[in-house]
Amino acid sequence: MRLWVDGERRDCPEGLSLAQWVERERIRNPEVAILHVNDRLIPPERWTSTRLREGDRVQLLYFLGDS
């Protein structure tokens, strides 16, 4: 299936969950990643149950906090 990730087209296997996609893409520091699918924020506790579909738009952001 084709996804759009931060504006770039990416080919991925059908039926991936968002959690599987994070692992497959080797996203660094997923504990501070913020993921939007089709302009909707997906909280980390829903990554496993969120299935990606053909044409989905994924945006990856990182939380930068003040310490």
Side-chain angles (χ1 to χ4, degrees):
M1 89 181 138
R2 291 183 189 138
L3 301 175
W4 293 93
V5 179
D6 295 330
E8 276 185 35
R9 189 183 114 184
R10 302 257 178 98
D11 293 319
C12 297
E14 292 283 334
L16 281 181
S17 70
L18 194 52
Q20 290 168 320
W21 178 82
V22 166
E23 187 175 309
R24 183 179 187 277
E25 293 290 315
R26 295 186 174 115
I27 301 301
R28 288 184 288 170
N29 303 318
E31 62 278 358
V32 295
I34 299 168
L35 290 168
H36 287 219
V37 177
N38 300 326
D39 299 321
R40 295 187 72 193
L41 173 66
I42 309 297
E45 60 271 12
R46 290 190 32 223
W47 289 2
T48 301
S49 63
T50 300
R51 296 282 168 201
L52 296 171
R53 293 185 256 175
E54 177 75 29
D56 277 349
R57 295 178 325 279
V58 179
Q59 185 177 22
L60 171 65
L61 305 164
Y62 283 98
F63 176 76
L64 300 174
D66 188 24
S67 48

